[in-house]
Every structure is written in C-alpha cells, then in structure tokens.
Amino acid sequence: PTVTVKNAADEILTEGDDYIVTYSDNTDAGIGKVTVIGAGQYYGLITKNFIIKPGKPKVGIKLYGHDDIQGTWDAQPAGEGITMKYKVEYKRSTWDKYALLSSAWSGISYKKANLVDGARYRFKVTPYFEADGEKYEGTPGYSSYIYTLKKIAAPRVSKSSRSYVRLRWT
C-alpha cells in the first residue's frame, strides 16, 4: 500500500526527506508489514501490518472416464505461517448457481464423479486464508466448460464372413 505521513500540523511530509518507508513479508498472500522511520527533523519508528489477498488461480478441467471431471489449479503462494485453502465449486451449464464441493480444500485438484452423461460442466475455485479470526478471499478462477460423454451401448457383434467380424453400435 502507499503511505502518507503527516506531521502534528496535519501537513503531508515528503518521503526520502522527512521519512523512509520499508516493506517486509509483502510478496505472498498473508500479512505484510510496512515500517516508517523518521528522517531529517523527524524521528521515531512505526510498523503497521496490512493484508495481501491471494491472487486469481488459473483453473483447468479435464475428463476422466466418460462421466467424471477433474479440476486443477495453480497453488497460490502464501506467506510464513499462512495456510492457503480453496473453496471448490462446480456448475452444470443449465444451473443458475454453483454447487459447493468443498469449503476448505487444501489440495490443487478435485474430482467429481458420476455426472450426467452428455452434460456441460465447469469449476470455480476461490483461494483464501484465515488470519486473526478473519477470512481473506482472493478473486475466484474459472475453468472453461467441458462435456461429459454419453455412454455408448454395448456393440452388437456378428460374423460377416470367415475372416471378418462386423461391429455395430449407437
């Protein structure tokens, strides 16, 4: 975050001349720190914490079996002492809302089995972490849609000649 420092007369001070700003723990999701140190005619030091929310995960989807899907996403980096979790949801294209699969998943993939044959589905993954009794969510990532396959009926086999077999299916 940007820092604005004012003196007792409510005048905005100049960074570099009147104070120096340093940041720590501010690259990954979690709790970052900013320290302001007085310079020139000003003295003192103050450290404040700020929240860095998780980024938006890139979400993929693939078919395994004819009516099962698996969503995968990139792990979101977390600062020291922070455990990243994921709210995982899925949706059939004809539904108005997403259905919850897990509200606190810690892995980077999730499988949903035994879906409707020939239907279109997608995943939604929202990264989050909890700190000091608060929940901090990142931006959700969405997969593209994928269709499950319709299961074909068992083929009918018939002998068409001495050296050939005929297979028929719907």
Side-chain angles (χ1 to χ4, degrees), residues 27-30 52-59 73-79 82-86 106-108 125-129 136-141:
T27 56
D28 297 329
I52 303 171
K53 290 187 176 183
K56 179 180 178 179
K58 182 179 176 186
V59 182
W73 53 92
D74 54 339
Q76 297 299 297
I82 298 296
T83 301
M84 191 63 61
K85 294 182 181 176
Y86 302 92
S106 58
I108 56 169
V125 178
T126 307
Y128 73 92
F129 67 90
Y136 300 98
E137 286 190 355
T139 303

PDB file of all heavy atoms in Angstrom, residues 27-30 52-59 73-79 82-86 106-108 125-129 136-141:
ATOM      1  N   THR A  27       5.297 -10.144  -0.434  1.00  0.00           N
ATOM      2  CA  THR A  27       5.245 -10.705  -1.781  1.00  0.00           C
ATOM      3  C   THR A  27       4.184 -11.789  -1.937  1.00  0.00           C
ATOM      4  O   THR A  27       3.670 -11.985  -3.029  1.00  0.00           O
ATOM      5  CB  THR A  27       6.609 -11.278  -2.190  1.00  0.00           C
ATOM      6  OG1 THR A  27       7.017 -12.245  -1.219  1.00  0.00           O
ATOM      7  CG2 THR A  27       7.657 -10.187  -2.294  1.00  0.00           C
ATOM      8  N   ASP A  28       3.869 -12.506  -0.888  1.00  0.00           N
ATOM      9  CA  ASP A  28       2.889 -13.594  -0.965  1.00  0.00           C
ATOM     10  C   ASP A  28       1.654 -13.253  -0.134  1.00  0.00           C
ATOM     11  O   ASP A  28       1.700 -12.380   0.735  1.00  0.00           O
ATOM     12  CB  ASP A  28       3.503 -14.900  -0.448  1.00  0.00           C
ATOM     13  CG  ASP A  28       4.671 -15.362  -1.302  1.00  0.00           C
ATOM     14  OD1 ASP A  28       4.657 -15.091  -2.517  1.00  0.00           O
ATOM     15  OD2 ASP A  28       5.598 -15.989  -0.764  1.00  0.00           O
ATOM     16  N   ALA A  29       0.565 -13.961  -0.406  1.00  0.00           N
ATOM     17  CA  ALA A  29      -0.670 -13.740   0.347  1.00  0.00           C
ATOM     18  C   ALA A  29      -0.420 -13.933   1.839  1.00  0.00           C
ATOM     19  O   ALA A  29       0.299 -14.835   2.247  1.00  0.00           O
ATOM     20  CB  ALA A  29      -1.747 -14.695  -0.134  1.00  0.00           C
ATOM     21  N   GLY A  30      -0.997 -13.059   2.629  1.00  0.00           N
ATOM     22  CA  GLY A  30      -0.832 -13.139   4.071  1.00  0.00           C
ATOM     23  C   GLY A  30      -0.780 -11.761   4.688  1.00  0.00           C
ATOM     24  O   GLY A  30      -1.449 -10.833   4.250  1.00  0.00           O
ATOM     25  N   ILE A  52      -2.428  -8.959   2.346  1.00  0.00           N
ATOM     26  CA  ILE A  52      -2.229  -9.234   0.924  1.00  0.00           C
ATOM     27  C   ILE A  52      -3.145 -10.407   0.586  1.00  0.00           C
ATOM     28  O   ILE A  52      -2.949 -11.522   1.079  1.00  0.00           O
ATOM     29  CB  ILE A  52      -0.772  -9.602   0.612  1.00  0.00           C
ATOM     30  CG1 ILE A  52       0.161  -8.489   1.065  1.00  0.00           C
ATOM     31  CG2 ILE A  52      -0.610  -9.887  -0.878  1.00  0.00           C
ATOM     32  CD1 ILE A  52       1.628  -8.848   1.003  1.00  0.00           C
ATOM     33  N   LYS A  53      -4.164 -10.136  -0.202  1.00  0.00           N
ATOM     34  CA  LYS A  53      -5.118 -11.193  -0.565  1.00  0.00           C
ATOM     35  C   LYS A  53      -4.515 -12.122  -1.612  1.00  0.00           C
ATOM     36  O   LYS A  53      -3.643 -11.711  -2.376  1.00  0.00           O
ATOM     37  CB  LYS A  53      -6.415 -10.573  -1.090  1.00  0.00           C
ATOM     38  CG  LYS A  53      -7.217  -9.879  -0.015  1.00  0.00           C
ATOM     39  CD  LYS A  53      -8.542  -9.434  -0.546  1.00  0.00           C
ATOM     40  CE  LYS A  53      -9.383  -8.814   0.558  1.00  0.00           C
ATOM     41  NZ  LYS A  53     -10.706  -8.433   0.061  1.00  0.00           N
ATOM     42  N   PRO A  54      -5.003 -13.369  -1.688  1.00  0.00           N
ATOM     43  CA  PRO A  54      -4.496 -14.303  -2.693  1.00  0.00           C
ATOM     44  C   PRO A  54      -4.825 -13.826  -4.105  1.00  0.00           C
ATOM     45  O   PRO A  54      -5.795 -13.096  -4.321  1.00  0.00           O
ATOM     46  CB  PRO A  54      -5.244 -15.610  -2.398  1.00  0.00           C
ATOM     47  CG  PRO A  54      -5.879 -15.440  -1.076  1.00  0.00           C
ATOM     48  CD  PRO A  54      -6.006 -13.976  -0.817  1.00  0.00           C
ATOM     49  N   GLY A  55      -4.032 -14.280  -5.053  1.00  0.00           N
ATOM     50  CA  GLY A  55      -4.277 -13.958  -6.453  1.00  0.00           C
ATOM     51  C   GLY A  55      -5.372 -14.827  -7.043  1.00  0.00           C
ATOM     52  O   GLY A  55      -5.955 -15.682  -6.366  1.00  0.00           O
ATOM     53  N   LYS A  56      -5.653 -14.623  -8.316  1.00  0.00           N
ATOM     54  CA  LYS A  56      -6.669 -15.389  -9.039  1.00  0.00           C
ATOM     55  C   LYS A  56      -6.005 -16.641  -9.616  1.00  0.00           C
ATOM     56  O   LYS A  56      -5.076 -16.538 -10.406  1.00  0.00           O
ATOM     57  CB  LYS A  56      -7.241 -14.527 -10.164  1.00  0.00           C
ATOM     58  CG  LYS A  56      -8.283 -15.212 -11.008  1.00  0.00           C
ATOM     59  CD  LYS A  56      -8.780 -14.259 -12.081  1.00  0.00           C
ATOM     60  CE  LYS A  56      -9.800 -14.915 -12.978  1.00  0.00           C
ATOM     61  NZ  LYS A  56     -10.295 -13.969 -13.987  1.00  0.00           N
ATOM     62  N   PRO A  57      -6.485 -17.835  -9.235  1.00  0.00           N
ATOM     63  CA  PRO A  57      -5.864 -19.056  -9.752  1.00  0.00           C
ATOM     64  C   PRO A  57      -6.268 -19.341 -11.201  1.00  0.00           C
ATOM     65  O   PRO A  57      -7.372 -19.001 -11.624  1.00  0.00           O
ATOM     66  CB  PRO A  57      -6.401 -20.151  -8.817  1.00  0.00           C
ATOM     67  CG  PRO A  57      -7.720 -19.627  -8.362  1.00  0.00           C
ATOM     68  CD  PRO A  57      -7.567 -18.126  -8.296  1.00  0.00           C
ATOM     69  N   LYS A  58      -5.359 -19.937 -11.928  1.00  0.00           N
ATOM     70  CA  LYS A  58      -5.662 -20.420 -13.278  1.00  0.00           C
ATOM     71  C   LYS A  58      -6.234 -21.826 -13.110  1.00  0.00           C
ATOM     72  O   LYS A  58      -5.586 -22.701 -12.543  1.00  0.00           O
ATOM     73  CB  LYS A  58      -4.385 -20.452 -14.117  1.00  0.00           C
ATOM     74  CG  LYS A  58      -4.612 -20.886 -15.526  1.00  0.00           C
ATOM     75  CD  LYS A  58      -3.317 -20.866 -16.315  1.00  0.00           C
ATOM     76  CE  LYS A  58      -3.566 -21.407 -17.707  1.00  0.00           C
ATOM     77  NZ  LYS A  58      -2.309 -21.533 -18.447  1.00  0.00           N
ATOM     78  N   VAL A  59      -7.464 -22.025 -13.578  1.00  0.00           N
ATOM     79  CA  VAL A  59      -8.184 -23.280 -13.339  1.00  0.00           C
ATOM     80  C   VAL A  59      -8.354 -24.042 -14.651  1.00  0.00           C
ATOM     81  O   VAL A  59      -8.772 -23.468 -15.654  1.00  0.00           O
ATOM     82  CB  VAL A  59      -9.571 -23.016 -12.707  1.00  0.00           C
ATOM     83  CG1 VAL A  59     -10.289 -24.326 -12.416  1.00  0.00           C
ATOM     84  CG2 VAL A  59      -9.433 -22.195 -11.434  1.00  0.00           C
ATOM     85  N   TRP A  73      -5.784 -26.470 -10.451  1.00  0.00           N
ATOM     86  CA  TRP A  73      -5.456 -25.048 -10.397  1.00  0.00           C
ATOM     87  C   TRP A  73      -4.052 -24.885  -9.853  1.00  0.00           C
ATOM     88  O   TRP A  73      -3.502 -25.773  -9.220  1.00  0.00           O
ATOM     89  CB  TRP A  73      -6.467 -24.273  -9.546  1.00  0.00           C
ATOM     90  CG  TRP A  73      -6.669 -24.835  -8.178  1.00  0.00           C
ATOM     91  CD1 TRP A  73      -6.005 -24.488  -7.039  1.00  0.00           C
ATOM     92  CD2 TRP A  73      -7.590 -25.867  -7.798  1.00  0.00           C
ATOM     93  NE1 TRP A  73      -6.458 -25.221  -5.969  1.00  0.00           N
ATOM     94  CE2 TRP A  73      -7.436 -26.081  -6.414  1.00  0.00           C
ATOM     95  CE3 TRP A  73      -8.536 -26.626  -8.485  1.00  0.00           C
ATOM     96  CZ2 TRP A  73      -8.183 -27.027  -5.715  1.00  0.00           C
ATOM     97  CZ3 TRP A  73      -9.285 -27.560  -7.790  1.00  0.00           C
ATOM     98  CH2 TRP A  73      -9.106 -27.750  -6.416  1.00  0.00           C
ATOM     99  N   ASP A  74      -3.472 -23.708 -10.134  1.00  0.00           N
ATOM    100  CA  ASP A  74      -2.137 -23.425  -9.634  1.00  0.00           C
ATOM    101  C   ASP A  74      -2.217 -22.999  -8.165  1.00  0.00           C
ATOM    102  O   ASP A  74      -3.117 -22.288  -7.759  1.00  0.00           O
ATOM    103  CB  ASP A  74      -1.434 -22.364 -10.482  1.00  0.00           C
ATOM    104  CG  ASP A  74      -2.225 -21.071 -10.637  1.00  0.00           C
ATOM    105  OD1 ASP A  74      -3.458 -21.086 -10.452  1.00  0.00           O
ATOM    106  OD2 ASP A  74      -1.604 -20.049 -10.934  1.00  0.00           O
ATOM    107  N   ALA A  75      -1.261 -23.490  -7.386  1.00  0.00           N
ATOM    108  CA  ALA A  75      -1.215 -23.158  -5.959  1.00  0.00           C
ATOM    109  C   ALA A  75      -0.901 -21.681  -5.802  1.00  0.00           C
ATOM    110  O   ALA A  75      -0.053 -21.129  -6.490  1.00  0.00           O
ATOM    111  CB  ALA A  75      -0.153 -24.001  -5.269  1.00  0.00           C
ATOM    112  N   GLN A  76      -1.603 -21.042  -4.903  1.00  0.00           N
ATOM    113  CA  GLN A  76      -1.365 -19.629  -4.619  1.00  0.00           C
ATOM    114  C   GLN A  76      -0.303 -19.526  -3.522  1.00  0.00           C
ATOM    115  O   GLN A  76      -0.430 -20.156  -2.476  1.00  0.00           O
ATOM    116  CB  GLN A  76      -2.662 -18.953  -4.173  1.00  0.00           C
ATOM    117  CG  GLN A  76      -3.740 -18.953  -5.235  1.00  0.00           C
ATOM    118  CD  GLN A  76      -3.296 -18.207  -6.472  1.00  0.00           C
ATOM    119  OE1 GLN A  76      -3.047 -17.014  -6.442  1.00  0.00           O
ATOM    120  NE2 GLN A  76      -3.143 -18.924  -7.570  1.00  0.00           N
ATOM    121  N   PRO A  77       0.761 -18.733  -3.745  1.00  0.00           N
ATOM    122  CA  PRO A  77       1.811 -18.625  -2.732  1.00  0.00           C
ATOM    123  C   PRO A  77       1.295 -17.932  -1.477  1.00  0.00           C
ATOM    124  O   PRO A  77       0.508 -16.993  -1.554  1.00  0.00           O
ATOM    125  CB  PRO A  77       2.897 -17.797  -3.422  1.00  0.00           C
ATOM    126  CG  PRO A  77       2.205 -17.087  -4.535  1.00  0.00           C
ATOM    127  CD  PRO A  77       1.022 -17.915  -4.921  1.00  0.00           C
ATOM    128  N   ALA A  78       1.743 -18.442  -0.331  1.00  0.00           N
ATOM    129  CA  ALA A  78       1.309 -17.885   0.954  1.00  0.00           C
ATOM    130  C   ALA A  78       2.523 -17.529   1.797  1.00  0.00           C
ATOM    131  O   ALA A  78       3.546 -18.211   1.748  1.00  0.00           O
ATOM    132  CB  ALA A  78       0.439 -18.893   1.691  1.00  0.00           C
ATOM    133  N   GLY A  79       2.398 -16.464   2.557  1.00  0.00           N
ATOM    134  CA  GLY A  79       3.464 -16.017   3.442  1.00  0.00           C
ATOM    135  C   GLY A  79       3.675 -16.979   4.597  1.00  0.00           C
ATOM    136  O   GLY A  79       2.915 -17.928   4.806  1.00  0.00           O
ATOM    137  N   ILE A  82       0.982 -18.875   7.002  1.00  0.00           N
ATOM    138  CA  ILE A  82      -0.338 -18.803   6.366  1.00  0.00           C
ATOM    139  C   ILE A  82      -0.614 -20.116   5.638  1.00  0.00           C
ATOM    140  O   ILE A  82       0.230 -20.611   4.884  1.00  0.00           O
ATOM    141  CB  ILE A  82      -0.401 -17.634   5.360  1.00  0.00           C
ATOM    142  CG1 ILE A  82      -0.181 -16.305   6.061  1.00  0.00           C
ATOM    143  CG2 ILE A  82      -1.709 -17.653   4.580  1.00  0.00           C
ATOM    144  CD1 ILE A  82      -1.240 -15.921   7.070  1.00  0.00           C
ATOM    145  N   THR A  83      -1.784 -20.688   5.861  1.00  0.00           N
ATOM    146  CA  THR A  83      -2.213 -21.892   5.154  1.00  0.00           C
ATOM    147  C   THR A  83      -3.259 -21.505   4.122  1.00  0.00           C
ATOM    148  O   THR A  83      -4.317 -20.989   4.486  1.00  0.00           O
ATOM    149  CB  THR A  83      -2.801 -22.932   6.135  1.00  0.00           C
ATOM    150  OG1 THR A  83      -1.802 -23.259   7.098  1.00  0.00           O
ATOM    151  CG2 THR A  83      -3.242 -24.182   5.403  1.00  0.00           C
ATOM    152  N   MET A  84      -2.943 -21.732   2.857  1.00  0.00           N
ATOM    153  CA  MET A  84      -3.875 -21.398   1.782  1.00  0.00           C
ATOM    154  C   MET A  84      -4.892 -22.522   1.635  1.00  0.00           C
ATOM    155  O   MET A  84      -4.543 -23.702   1.634  1.00  0.00           O
ATOM    156  CB  MET A  84      -3.111 -21.203   0.472  1.00  0.00           C
ATOM    157  CG  MET A  84      -3.942 -20.600  -0.624  1.00  0.00           C
ATOM    158  SD  MET A  84      -4.533 -18.933  -0.276  1.00  0.00           S
ATOM    159  CE  MET A  84      -3.001 -18.065  -0.084  1.00  0.00           C
ATOM    160  N   LYS A  85      -6.153 -22.137   1.531  1.00  0.00           N
ATOM    161  CA  LYS A  85      -7.237 -23.094   1.314  1.00  0.00           C
ATOM    162  C   LYS A  85      -8.030 -22.641   0.099  1.00  0.00           C
ATOM    163  O   LYS A  85      -7.892 -21.504  -0.355  1.00  0.00           O
ATOM    164  CB  LYS A  85      -8.140 -23.179   2.544  1.00  0.00           C
ATOM    165  CG  LYS A  85      -7.430 -23.759   3.747  1.00  0.00           C
ATOM    166  CD  LYS A  85      -8.350 -23.883   4.917  1.00  0.00           C
ATOM    167  CE  LYS A  85      -7.584 -24.442   6.112  1.00  0.00           C
ATOM    168  NZ  LYS A  85      -8.414 -24.488   7.297  1.00  0.00           N
ATOM    169  N   TYR A  86      -8.865 -23.550  -0.398  1.00  0.00           N
ATOM    170  CA  TYR A  86      -9.619 -23.262  -1.616  1.00  0.00           C
ATOM    171  C   TYR A  86     -11.071 -23.683  -1.441  1.00  0.00           C
ATOM    172  O   TYR A  86     -11.358 -24.771  -0.952  1.00  0.00           O
ATOM    173  CB  TYR A  86      -9.020 -24.017  -2.814  1.00  0.00           C
ATOM    174  CG  TYR A  86      -7.573 -23.679  -3.035  1.00  0.00           C
ATOM    175  CD1 TYR A  86      -6.564 -24.432  -2.447  1.00  0.00           C
ATOM    176  CD2 TYR A  86      -7.215 -22.580  -3.794  1.00  0.00           C
ATOM    177  CE1 TYR A  86      -5.236 -24.106  -2.632  1.00  0.00           C
ATOM    178  CE2 TYR A  86      -5.887 -22.243  -3.990  1.00  0.00           C
ATOM    179  CZ  TYR A  86      -4.900 -23.012  -3.403  1.00  0.00           C
ATOM    180  OH  TYR A  86      -3.586 -22.673  -3.585  1.00  0.00           O
ATOM    181  N   SER A 106      -7.463 -28.160   0.667  1.00  0.00           N
ATOM    182  CA  SER A 106      -6.075 -27.709   0.739  1.00  0.00           C
ATOM    183  C   SER A 106      -5.244 -28.177  -0.453  1.00  0.00           C
ATOM    184  O   SER A 106      -4.112 -27.740  -0.613  1.00  0.00           O
ATOM    185  CB  SER A 106      -5.426 -28.180   2.043  1.00  0.00           C
ATOM    186  OG  SER A 106      -5.486 -29.591   2.137  1.00  0.00           O
ATOM    187  N   GLY A 107      -5.792 -29.048  -1.290  1.00  0.00           N
ATOM    188  CA  GLY A 107      -5.062 -29.537  -2.457  1.00  0.00           C
ATOM    189  C   GLY A 107      -5.228 -28.626  -3.660  1.00  0.00           C
ATOM    190  O   GLY A 107      -5.890 -27.588  -3.584  1.00  0.00           O
ATOM    191  N   ILE A 108      -4.632 -29.027  -4.792  1.00  0.00           N
ATOM    192  CA  ILE A 108      -4.725 -28.221  -6.013  1.00  0.00           C
ATOM    193  C   ILE A 108      -5.440 -28.971  -7.142  1.00  0.00           C
ATOM    194  O   ILE A 108      -5.253 -28.666  -8.312  1.00  0.00           O
ATOM    195  CB  ILE A 108      -3.338 -27.723  -6.474  1.00  0.00           C
ATOM    196  CG1 ILE A 108      -2.374 -28.888  -6.666  1.00  0.00           C
ATOM    197  CG2 ILE A 108      -2.787 -26.705  -5.494  1.00  0.00           C
ATOM    198  CD1 ILE A 108      -1.092 -28.512  -7.365  1.00  0.00           C
ATOM    199  N   VAL A 125     -12.929 -21.906  -8.482  1.00  0.00           N
ATOM    200  CA  VAL A 125     -12.044 -22.094  -7.343  1.00  0.00           C
ATOM    201  C   VAL A 125     -11.702 -20.725  -6.749  1.00  0.00           C
ATOM    202  O   VAL A 125     -11.221 -19.844  -7.461  1.00  0.00           O
ATOM    203  CB  VAL A 125     -10.751 -22.827  -7.763  1.00  0.00           C
ATOM    204  CG1 VAL A 125      -9.810 -22.963  -6.578  1.00  0.00           C
ATOM    205  CG2 VAL A 125     -11.075 -24.189  -8.360  1.00  0.00           C
ATOM    206  N   THR A 126     -11.973 -20.552  -5.458  1.00  0.00           N
ATOM    207  CA  THR A 126     -11.697 -19.300  -4.760  1.00  0.00           C
ATOM    208  C   THR A 126     -10.653 -19.551  -3.680  1.00  0.00           C
ATOM    209  O   THR A 126     -10.921 -20.267  -2.710  1.00  0.00           O
ATOM    210  CB  THR A 126     -12.980 -18.737  -4.111  1.00  0.00           C
ATOM    211  OG1 THR A 126     -14.004 -18.647  -5.093  1.00  0.00           O
ATOM    212  CG2 THR A 126     -12.729 -17.377  -3.495  1.00  0.00           C
ATOM    213  N   PRO A 127      -9.446 -18.969  -3.807  1.00  0.00           N
ATOM    214  CA  PRO A 127      -8.434 -19.148  -2.767  1.00  0.00           C
ATOM    215  C   PRO A 127      -8.717 -18.232  -1.571  1.00  0.00           C
ATOM    216  O   PRO A 127      -9.281 -17.147  -1.736  1.00  0.00           O
ATOM    217  CB  PRO A 127      -7.140 -18.732  -3.471  1.00  0.00           C
ATOM    218  CG  PRO A 127      -7.568 -17.756  -4.499  1.00  0.00           C
ATOM    219  CD  PRO A 127      -8.947 -18.174  -4.928  1.00  0.00           C
ATOM    220  N   TYR A 128      -8.333 -18.676  -0.383  1.00  0.00           N
ATOM    221  CA  TYR A 128      -8.495 -17.834   0.805  1.00  0.00           C
ATOM    222  C   TYR A 128      -7.553 -18.296   1.909  1.00  0.00           C
ATOM    223  O   TYR A 128      -7.007 -19.402   1.863  1.00  0.00           O
ATOM    224  CB  TYR A 128      -9.945 -17.832   1.295  1.00  0.00           C
ATOM    225  CG  TYR A 128     -10.392 -19.104   1.964  1.00  0.00           C
ATOM    226  CD1 TYR A 128     -10.280 -19.266   3.347  1.00  0.00           C
ATOM    227  CD2 TYR A 128     -10.939 -20.153   1.229  1.00  0.00           C
ATOM    228  CE1 TYR A 128     -10.697 -20.434   3.967  1.00  0.00           C
ATOM    229  CE2 TYR A 128     -11.356 -21.311   1.841  1.00  0.00           C
ATOM    230  CZ  TYR A 128     -11.233 -21.447   3.213  1.00  0.00           C
ATOM    231  OH  TYR A 128     -11.631 -22.603   3.823  1.00  0.00           O
ATOM    232  N   PHE A 129      -7.361 -17.441   2.887  1.00  0.00           N
ATOM    233  CA  PHE A 129      -6.653 -17.806   4.098  1.00  0.00           C
ATOM    234  C   PHE A 129      -7.343 -17.115   5.269  1.00  0.00           C
ATOM    235  O   PHE A 129      -8.127 -16.184   5.084  1.00  0.00           O
ATOM    236  CB  PHE A 129      -5.157 -17.436   4.036  1.00  0.00           C
ATOM    237  CG  PHE A 129      -4.883 -15.965   4.019  1.00  0.00           C
ATOM    238  CD1 PHE A 129      -4.701 -15.252   5.193  1.00  0.00           C
ATOM    239  CD2 PHE A 129      -4.807 -15.282   2.818  1.00  0.00           C
ATOM    240  CE1 PHE A 129      -4.448 -13.896   5.173  1.00  0.00           C
ATOM    241  CE2 PHE A 129      -4.551 -13.924   2.785  1.00  0.00           C
ATOM    242  CZ  PHE A 129      -4.371 -13.224   3.965  1.00  0.00           C
ATOM    243  N   TYR A 136      -9.879 -14.043   4.430  1.00  0.00           N
ATOM    244  CA  TYR A 136      -9.496 -13.158   3.331  1.00  0.00           C
ATOM    245  C   TYR A 136      -9.507 -13.945   2.025  1.00  0.00           C
ATOM    246  O   TYR A 136      -8.663 -14.809   1.810  1.00  0.00           O
ATOM    247  CB  TYR A 136      -8.117 -12.551   3.583  1.00  0.00           C
ATOM    248  CG  TYR A 136      -8.070 -11.740   4.851  1.00  0.00           C
ATOM    249  CD1 TYR A 136      -7.566 -12.278   6.029  1.00  0.00           C
ATOM    250  CD2 TYR A 136      -8.555 -10.434   4.870  1.00  0.00           C
ATOM    251  CE1 TYR A 136      -7.543 -11.527   7.200  1.00  0.00           C
ATOM    252  CE2 TYR A 136      -8.533  -9.678   6.036  1.00  0.00           C
ATOM    253  CZ  TYR A 136      -8.026 -10.241   7.193  1.00  0.00           C
ATOM    254  OH  TYR A 136      -8.009  -9.501   8.343  1.00  0.00           O
ATOM    255  N   GLU A 137     -10.488 -13.639   1.173  1.00  0.00           N
ATOM    256  CA  GLU A 137     -10.659 -14.358  -0.093  1.00  0.00           C
ATOM    257  C   GLU A 137      -9.986 -13.615  -1.232  1.00  0.00           C
ATOM    258  O   GLU A 137     -10.000 -12.386  -1.292  1.00  0.00           O
ATOM    259  CB  GLU A 137     -12.139 -14.509  -0.441  1.00  0.00           C
ATOM    260  CG  GLU A 137     -12.870 -15.518   0.392  1.00  0.00           C
ATOM    261  CD  GLU A 137     -14.272 -15.819  -0.130  1.00  0.00           C
ATOM    262  OE1 GLU A 137     -14.724 -15.169  -1.089  1.00  0.00           O
ATOM    263  OE2 GLU A 137     -14.906 -16.715   0.438  1.00  0.00           O
ATOM    264  N   GLY A 138      -9.434 -14.398  -2.162  1.00  0.00           N
ATOM    265  CA  GLY A 138      -8.909 -13.846  -3.400  1.00  0.00           C
ATOM    266  C   GLY A 138      -9.995 -13.849  -4.463  1.00  0.00           C
ATOM    267  O   GLY A 138     -11.154 -14.197  -4.211  1.00  0.00           O
ATOM    268  N   THR A 139      -9.618 -13.487  -5.665  1.00  0.00           N
ATOM    269  CA  THR A 139     -10.547 -13.488  -6.798  1.00  0.00           C
ATOM    270  C   THR A 139     -10.721 -14.918  -7.285  1.00  0.00           C
ATOM    271  O   THR A 139      -9.734 -15.632  -7.470  1.00  0.00           O
ATOM    272  CB  THR A 139      -9.981 -12.612  -7.934  1.00  0.00           C
ATOM    273  OG1 THR A 139      -9.747 -11.311  -7.416  1.00  0.00           O
ATOM    274  CG2 THR A 139     -10.944 -12.541  -9.105  1.00  0.00           C
ATOM    275  N   PRO A 140     -11.969 -15.374  -7.523  1.00  0.00           N
ATOM    276  CA  PRO A 140     -12.157 -16.741  -7.994  1.00  0.00           C
ATOM    277  C   PRO A 140     -11.649 -16.935  -9.424  1.00  0.00           C
ATOM    278  O   PRO A 140     -11.689 -16.012 -10.232  1.00  0.00           O
ATOM    279  CB  PRO A 140     -13.672 -16.959  -7.930  1.00  0.00           C
ATOM    280  CG  PRO A 140     -14.288 -15.624  -7.741  1.00  0.00           C
ATOM    281  CD  PRO A 140     -13.226 -14.681  -7.281  1.00  0.00           C
ATOM    282  N   GLY A 141     -11.169 -18.142  -9.685  1.00  0.00           N
ATOM    283  CA  GLY A 141     -10.767 -18.541 -11.029  1.00  0.00           C
ATOM    284  C   GLY A 141     -11.787 -19.533 -11.574  1.00  0.00           C
ATOM    285  O   GLY A 141     -12.381 -20.313 -10.822  1.00  0.00           O
TER     286      GLY A 141
END
